[in-house]
Amino acid sequence: MEVRSETTQARSDKLPPPALPKPRVQVWFVRVCSSILVWTCLVQLFAAGELWHSRIFTGLTNQISRFSAPVEPVPLPPPLPPPRNYTSNGILLVSCNGGLNQMRSAICDMVTVARLLNLTLVVPELDKTSFWADPSGFEDIFDVRHFIDSLRDEVRILRRLPKRYSRKYGYQMFEMPPVSWSDEKYYLKQVLPLFSKHKVVHFNRTDTRLANNGLPLALQRLRCRVNFQGLKFTPQLEALGSKLVRILQQRGPFVALHLRYEMDMLAFSGCTHGCSQEEAEELKKMRYTYPWWREKEIVSEERRAQGLCPLTPEEVALVLKALGFEKNTQIYIAAGEIYGSEHRLSVLREAFPRIVKKEMLLESAELQQFQNHSSQMAALDFMVSVASNTFIPTYDGNMAKVVEGHRRYLGFKKTILLDRKKLVELLDLHHSKSLTWDQFAVAVKEAHERRTGAPTHRRVISDKPKEEDYFYANPQECLCEGTNCHDLFGHRNFNLTH
């Protein structure tokens, strides 16, 4: 016990002395300084409060509100029609020929033929070898998914030909161009048996292969359904076309002038009125370059007198003025490169200074992806022409006809169909001073009083289908239903020849 006491005592001798308590004044001083520091910080924060509220707190509040606000439901797309259940008689492969609108009409016809014969249709191939040499495929111009889905209750459509039927795998495909202007009896009796023998048939030409008239009403309306509903341009083309229309409409009403004074049109038609000798030779040389432009020797003035030439820009200026269009009229040129470039447009531009083209309304970067693709550029012009307040084609080519039909379908929007044969006669009389300006203007207006795209019967010439009114220019079977047709077109039978 004693030993333990000594050890304990020794350890206690080595411990440091206990700390003395801090004076109260020192503790009080530390607390005061800390309080002052805290209050200073608070004052600074409150002083900057407005800035914090506007830049930080408000932004945070907005973010919270945005996420907490009720989200409007995205509208669901309309339900797809149920697919048509049928036993396919074979596969139809088609290669369209021509420009955009010629191919567009052909696609509508080929869907109709596939429906009539209970065939499976492959998404059509587009022409890549014509004058325009456009490499665009179907999916570059049209919304292929919409095309397939929207028509699935009528026709089964495949994106591509099954491999086992391709040439790559040694399959020998039967090819043929159907007879032009053929009715359903031709396809049922002469074409359908070919599918029993060959399984796959390739139509290597598709332009005007279906009759204008004499077809069952269901087939005619299917042609319209494909044209007006099934064929939509790609979202990229639709967006840019809508932007063009919006820009034009913001500037006021506008005329879409389909000025078909382009090099290929002049060379094909042999029309050289107003051209220099060198230009006429250049156009003739181009006509001889393309073997499928059959008629080689053409007398331009005879062709012009027959009304078979597009009007020149100078003639168009006079005609527009005679029709009553004022100098401040906004005019959109729906065409490719005008032959002779800007100097051929100088007279027209002087008469109507508010002439615009897509290249003037859009940034070059916006058009870049569509340039060197004539069909895609034509699609933009097509959309603008359909939307215009007035549409005036200077030549009745495929675009003029298809746009005319679309405008009729949209409520008979004003389309001035120029009587070129009559206009050439009046223009020559005016130039020779046989007609004063006032006489010329009155005659031009009188000649076009009933050529404005109003409801009318499609002309039927049973033994001359090429001279009939084109179905896609006036799809009258699709413009009314029931008794309304009598009110719209009158009581005369649609198929009466006149």
Side-chain angles (χ1 to χ4, degrees), residues 322 430 435-445:
H430 176 57
L435 281 181
T436 66
W437 171 256
D438 289 342
Q439 292 171 326
F440 172 75
V442 168
V444 168
K445 288 176 182 175

Side-chain angles (χ1 to χ4, degrees), residues 78-97:
L80 296 176
R84 178 168 168 253
N85 185 19
Y86 66 99
T87 301
S88 175
N89 290 321
I91 298 176
L92 176 59
L93 182 68
V94 299
S95 294
C96 302
N97 57 293

Side-chain angles (χ1 to χ4, degrees), residues 132 157 219 283 306 420 498:
W132 302 277
I157 303 176
L219 293 183
L283 294 171
Q306 295 168 352
R420 292 187 307 280
H498 67 289

Side-chain angles (χ1 to χ4, degrees), residues 259 261-263 313 333 335-342 344-345:
L259 188 59
Y261 200 77
E262 299 152 315
M263 190 175 188
I333 302 293
E337 181 65 29
I338 301 302
Y339 188 58
S341 302
E342 276 300 311
R344 287 311 299 266
L345 285 175

Side-chain angles (χ1 to χ4, degrees), residues 83-369:
R84 178 168 168 253
N85 185 19
Y86 66 99
T87 301
S88 175
N89 290 321
I91 298 176
L92 176 59
L93 182 68
V94 299
S95 294
C96 302
N97 57 293
L100 172 65
N101 293 285
Q102 181 172 310
M103 294 191 291
R104 182 188 188 103
S105 302
I107 292 166
C108 299
D109 286 351
M110 293 303 103
V111 171
T112 304
V113 170
R115 174 64 173 83
L116 172 67
L117 303 183
N118 285 336
L119 302 174
T120 298
L121 177 69
V122 179
V123 169
E125 298 175 351
L126 302 189
D127 192 343
K128 298 178 176 63
T129 62
S130 63
F131 167 81
W132 302 277
D134 187 346
S136 302
F138 186 99
E139 66 282 355
D140 298 314
I141 300 173
F142 300 109
D143 187 333
V144 65
R145 175 46 56 194
H146 174 81
F147 176 70
I148 294 172
D149 288 346
S150 66
L151 297 169
R152 67 189 216 144
D153 59 332
E154 296 284 359
V155 180
R156 192 176 304 138
I157 303 176
L158 304 178
R159 279 183 176 264
R160 54 188 60 86
L161 185 69
K163 289 182 179 179
R164 63 183 180 275
Y165 297 119
S166 68
R167 294 184 182 91
K168 182 179 178 181
Y169 286 81
Y171 187 83
Q172 297 298 317
M173 192 177 303
F174 181 79
E175 297 187 358
M176 63 172 291
V179 176
S180 299
W181 311 113
S182 297
D183 60 14
E184 82 278 9
K185 293 177 183 178
Y186 163 79
Y187 285 98
L188 288 168
K189 293 181 178 180
Q190 298 189 42
V191 176
L192 182 57
L194 296 173
F195 287 90
S196 300
K197 181 179 180 180
H198 299 285
K199 187 61 179 177
V200 178
V201 175
H202 178 206
F203 289 174
N204 50 22
R205 290 185 69 85
T206 57
D207 58 321
T208 63
R209 304 295 148 165
L210 198 56
N212 289 314
N213 302 292
L215 296 178
L217 181 61
L219 293 183
Q220 297 288 58
R221 288 187 171 170
L222 178 56
R223 296 168 92 177
C224 291
R225 180 178 169 187
V226 183
N227 191 24
F228 301 128
Q229 300 172 29
L231 284 176
K232 287 177 59 178
F233 293 121
T234 63
Q236 295 84 358
L237 280 169
E238 289 278 354
L240 198 57
S242 297
K243 181 176 181 179
L244 264 174
V245 172
R246 188 167 60 252
I247 291 171
L248 287 161
Q249 290 176 339
Q250 288 171 350
R251 299 181 176 195
F254 69 97
V255 173
L257 178 65
H258 186 39
L259 188 59
R260 199 67 171 91
Y261 200 77
E262 299 152 315
M263 190 175 188
D264 65 295
M265 184 70 251
L266 298 177
F268 173 77
S269 63
C271 298
T272 58
H273 181 75
C275 295
S276 66
Q277 184 63 35
E278 292 77 12
E279 289 173 330
E281 286 299 321
E282 181 182 37
L283 294 171
K284 183 177 180 179
K285 183 178 179 181
M286 173 180 279
R287 184 167 69 255
Y288 276 84
T289 300
Y290 293 91
W292 53 88
W293 291 358
R294 297 177 183 175
E295 194 172 354
K296 301 300 182 183
E297 288 299 327
I298 297 175
V299 180
S300 175
E301 290 306 312
E302 289 183 5
R303 183 67 62 93
R304 177 174 176 268
Q306 295 168 352
L308 300 177
C309 289
L311 297 180
T312 69
E314 295 86 355
E315 291 172 333
V316 171
L318 291 173
V319 170
L320 292 180
K321 289 169 67 176
L323 287 170
F325 289 97
E326 298 179 353
K327 188 168 185 174
N328 67 343
T329 300
Q330 182 181 204
I331 298 178
Y332 176 87
I333 302 293
E337 181 65 29
I338 301 302
Y339 188 58
S341 302
E342 276 300 311
H343 85 271
R344 287 311 299 266
L345 285 175
S346 59
V347 173
L348 181 60
R349 194 179 293 283
E350 182 180 355
F352 298 95
R354 296 185 66 200
I355 286 179
V356 294
K357 297 185 289 186
K358 53 185 171 291
E359 293 82 0
M360 299 168 60
L361 300 175
L362 298 172
E363 299 291 338
S364 57
E366 294 177 293
L367 283 173
Q368 186 175 4
Q369 62 178 314

Side-chain angles (χ1 to χ4, degrees), residues 217-229 405 408-410 412 458 471-472 474-481 485 488-489 494:
L217 181 61
L219 293 183
Q220 297 288 58
R221 288 187 171 170
L222 178 56
R223 296 168 92 177
C224 291
R225 180 178 169 187
V226 183
N227 191 24
F228 301 128
Q229 300 172 29
R408 288 179 183 274
Y409 183 76
L410 294 173
F412 301 98
R458 192 170 60 244
F471 173 81
Y472 291 101
N474 185 14
Q476 60 190 29
E477 295 89 338
C478 312
L479 306 181
C480 61
E481 293 184 9
C485 295
L488 196 59
F489 294 102
F494 282 169

